[in-house]
Amino acid sequence: MKKLKNSVKIAFVILAVCLMNLNCSEDKLNQVNPNSITPESFWKNESDATKGVFGAYAPFTNIWYYTRFEIFTSDYRDDVINGFNTSERTAVGYFSGTSESNATFWVWQAMFQGVARANDVIFHVPNIEDMDTTLRDNITGEGYFIRALNYFNLLNSWRNLPIITLPTSEVDLTGIPQADPNDVWAQIESDLKNAQTLLPASWPAEYKGRATSGAATGLLGKAYLYQQKYAEAKAEFTKVMGGAYTLMDDYAANFTEEFENNAESLFEIQLVADGNGGWGADRNNSGKGSAYQADLAPIGYTNQNTMRVNQWALDLFLDEQTVNGEIDPRAFTTFFWNTEETTEYNGKTLRSRTFENTSYADAFSPTGTNIYGNKWMDWEFTGRSQSRQGGWHGGGNNLRLLRYADVLLMYAEAEFMLNGSTQAALDAINEVRARVDLPAHTSITMQDIEDERIKELTMERTRYFDLLRWGRVKSRIVDNPQFKSESAGTDAYKPGREYIAIPENDIVRNPTWDQNDGY
């Protein structure tokens, strides 16, 4: 008790001293940690700028984003993939996602994290005096590109968004209203035009994979196409055609670690199997491998629920043959199904095989009918026995987000919508078909373009958003519940659920925001 009383006396003495010295609280009790990093202390030189932009890229490799969870908000929503079981991961795909779902919140958060870090780059880097002027412009251009790509993804999945273009330290995040989607598109266009001007055409070898002016141009054309601004889209696609980008001779080269950042790639997510684990992190020493492969792999070659492919998609590949009377070689790269037919392609004999070169009959049954995924597995190059060998991040295969083949097909679409089945449209689509030995079209319809996009780009984060921009989500997916028969059908659909629910936490924090229709 005596000790307690003495302590109280001492406390009163200290308080009295502080009251006599008005600077006591400020100077003694609230000192700033000299080792802490702040915006004022960080953005000082070229090294800081480089670190800052690398930090802006980092959310792309968050397991909440492209290394895994983004696939449930893209490919798992289309009419090709039929996800097994009901879970919060597959729920968005059968229109039953909620505003409180972790999967919904995680992807939204990772994308806005990318926006926030890009905002820091755009705001601070132009004011750094102690660095090379060209590099300063290049890094600022990367910031514009990263912000645009994140907003492009957010807009196409959530639609009703706030436009945030300043660092979080400069704005009241609870006071920003939702913007008209047209204004978000305008912001994306503006950012990509700035990126076009500021980004280099290429980077030195040690920085290969960073955004380029070609990537910005391709994405700008895509943004115009999604808004049905066909003339503007065609003009942008023309800028990257017949120049720095070409189709790889082998279609499969676009989906293996062996040929990353190749001549066909405009932009890809840089993934690496470095032996690290980690969940929900984008910092050093956390996994940055292609963990989403476990959600595409054949059942039995993954410990995840995974999925099967709807029969119609394979049938589309089988509906026409190559000039040699064989199966489209893209089918073997994309799917694993029960067949012993082969195709001779680029000096190789293609067969339906999965991990460890296993046939369908040996993997499952000689009479099995399920169709599984094969694209991105990269088992032939890595020698892995199943998708999770080496852990969540055991695969280092880069995720190609924008390929030259996609540019050619988008150009063909824009040209067709403007002028019909012209020679220019035919040349573009036939260039893609020639690579896989398919006969040239002599005239095309919009259905031909759609079919070619399915065969070329399935499992590349495009199909659902094609259906969305064409206004066909309901007629193609909702009205065909068998496409989601392995989960829960499509009974949960309500008008508006073509888009994902805005996370509940953000609705609560922003009282002026409206939840998306249908929720």
Side-chain angles (χ1 to χ4, degrees):
M1 180 65 71
K2 186 175 181 180
K3 289 183 178 179
L4 177 60
K5 290 181 178 178
N6 287 338
S7 297
V8 172
K9 289 179 181 178
I10 293 170
F12 274 115
V13 171
I14 293 173
L15 177 60
V17 172
C18 286
L19 289 174
M20 287 185 291
N21 183 355
L22 296 178
N23 291 325
C24 176
S25 174
E26 179 180 351
D27 296 340
K28 302 299 182 183
L29 302 181
N30 293 325
Q31 294 187 42
V32 175
N33 181 353
N35 297 315
S36 66
I37 297 175
T38 65
E40 291 73 25
S41 67
F42 179 70
W43 301 95
K44 297 297 186 183
N45 52 46
E46 183 175 303
S47 176
D48 292 344
T50 301
K51 291 174 184 176
V53 80
F54 285 175
Y57 281 105
F60 289 139
T61 61
N62 193 323
I63 200 166
W64 294 353
Y65 205 164
Y66 280 124
T67 55
R68 189 182 182 213
F69 263 85
E70 181 275 342
I71 198 168
F72 299 114
T73 63
S74 57
D75 285 342
Y76 261 64
R77 296 165 72 191
D78 70 21
D79 52 349
V80 175
I81 287 180
N82 200 334
F84 287 131
N85 297 328
T86 56
S87 71
E88 70 168 9
R89 297 189 298 275
T90 57
V92 171
Y94 57 85
F95 306 102
S96 191
T98 71
S99 61
E100 297 176 338
S101 164
N102 279 342
T104 299
F105 168 75
W106 285 342
V107 180
W108 163 282
Q109 183 183 49
M111 290 178 178
F112 267 115
Q113 186 181 53
V115 169
R117 294 186 184 179
N119 286 340
D120 283 336
V121 171
I122 296 166
F123 186 81
H124 292 289
V125 171
N127 297 319
I128 298 176
E129 297 179 358
D130 185 23
M131 67 181 296
D132 177 78
T133 302
T134 299
L135 181 60
R136 183 173 59 203
D137 287 347
N138 293 166
I139 290 176
T140 303
E142 288 178 282
Y144 281 116
F145 177 84
I146 292 168
R147 186 167 72 187
L149 176 55
N150 279 294
Y151 261 119
F152 181 88
N153 291 337
L154 285 160
L155 182 60
N156 283 292
S157 280
W158 281 275
R159 185 171 172 80
N160 295 299
L161 311 167
I163 296 177
I164 305 171
T165 58
L166 292 173
T168 55
S169 60
E170 304 294 321
V171 294
D172 176 9
L173 293 179
T174 63
I176 300 177
Q178 289 167 302
D180 185 307
N182 290 324
D183 292 337
V184 182
W185 279 121
Q187 183 64 53
I188 293 169
E189 292 173 13
S190 174
D191 282 351
L192 290 172
K193 289 175 183 177
N194 285 328
Q196 277 181 313
T197 302
L198 297 169
L199 284 170
S202 62
W203 290 89
E206 64 268 29
Y207 292 127
K208 200 167 188 178
R210 294 171 71 170
T212 63
S213 56
T217 301
L219 185 57
L220 179 58
K222 187 172 183 177
Y224 282 137
L225 187 74
Y226 273 44
Q227 299 173 78
Q228 301 180 1
K229 295 180 177 180
Y230 298 118
E232 294 91 334
K234 176 185 172 182
E236 297 305 320
F237 295 141
T238 300
K239 294 176 184 178
V240 295
M241 291 170 61
Y245 303 99
T246 60
L247 297 181
M248 295 293 287
D249 290 339
D250 189 338
Y251 173 76
N254 293 298
F255 314 105
T256 174
E257 195 172 346
E258 183 178 6
F259 296 104
E260 293 175 336
N261 300 303
N262 62 45
E264 188 168 338
S265 179
L266 276 73
F267 187 70
E268 57 194 70
I269 303 302
Q270 306 297 305
L271 303 177
V272 58
D274 56 8
N276 289 324
W279 182 268
D282 66 334
R283 59 183 181 273
N284 287 336
N285 301 317
S286 63
K288 293 177 172 58
S290 47
Y292 70 87
Q293 290 179 350
D295 302 297
L296 294 175
I299 196 166
Y301 293 87
T302 171
N303 67 348
Q304 296 304 294
N305 291 336
T306 198
M307 59 86 188
R308 70 172 175 85
V309 172
N310 287 312
Q311 182 69 47
W312 74 267
L314 175 61
D315 290 344
L316 182 66
F317 280 83
L318 303 180
D319 279 348
E320 63 174 336
Q321 295 183 322
T322 69
V323 293
N324 300 315
E326 297 175 316
I327 294 172
D328 186 334
R330 294 174 295 189
F332 295 101
T333 297
T334 308
F335 301 140
F336 177 52
W337 79 103
N338 193 1
T339 184
E340 283 303 319
E341 290 190 70
T342 63
T343 292
E344 297 298 320
Y345 178 64
N346 269 352
K348 297 182 292 187
T349 301
L350 303 184
R351 293 180 170 86
S352 182
R353 294 291 186 268
T354 192
F355 293 91
E356 297 187 318
N357 203 34
T358 307
S359 70
Y360 191 99
D362 289 338
F364 301 112
S365 161
T367 58
T369 58
N370 275 355
I371 307 158
Y372 297 105
N374 195 35
K375 187 177 279 188
W376 305 115
M377 296 302 105
D378 205 20
W379 53 265
E380 190 170 4
F381 175 73
T382 63
R384 292 191 299 162
S385 61
Q386 53 97 5
S387 65
R388 283 289 308 281
Q389 184 179 345
W392 274 112
H393 303 281
N397 190 11
N398 282 1
L399 176 62
R400 284 68 160 180
L401 286 189
L402 185 57
R403 295 193 287 115
Y404 186 54
D406 192 6
V407 169
L408 289 170
L409 293 177
M410 289 190 291
Y411 173 89
E413 180 179 345
E415 170 66 10
F416 179 84
M417 297 304 292
L418 288 168
N419 302 308
S421 181
T422 63
Q423 191 61 49
L426 287 169
D427 288 345
I429 194 171
N430 285 335
E431 186 174 346
V432 174
R433 290 171 61 83
R435 192 246 301 266
V436 289
D437 299 331
L438 288 182
H441 284 305
T442 56
S443 65
I444 55 171
T445 65
M446 187 58 208
Q447 187 64 51
D448 293 322
I449 296 172
E450 177 181 334
D451 290 349
E452 206 62 43
R453 290 188 64 78
I454 294 166
K455 289 184 281 190
E456 181 70 25
L457 300 166
T458 284
M459 298 179 193
E460 295 185 52
R461 276 69 170 183
T462 60
R463 174 61 177 170
Y464 180 82
F465 302 109
D466 280 346
L467 292 173
L468 182 66
R469 67 189 176 88
W470 293 331
R472 293 179 51 205
V473 170
K474 184 179 183 302
S475 63
R476 184 60 192 166
I477 303 176
V478 179
D479 295 344
N480 290 283
Q482 70 273 16
F483 294 159
K484 302 298 176 184
S485 60
E486 296 293 354
S487 50
T490 59
D491 287 345
Y493 171 80
K494 296 178 182 177
R497 290 199 175 187
E498 293 86 350
Y499 295 93
I500 305 172
I502 297 171
E504 186 65 20
N505 287 345
D506 288 271
I507 292 290
V508 171
R509 280 195 297 263
N510 296 274
T512 64
W513 287 18
D514 294 323
Q515 181 57 271
N516 283 337
D517 291 343
Y519 296 96

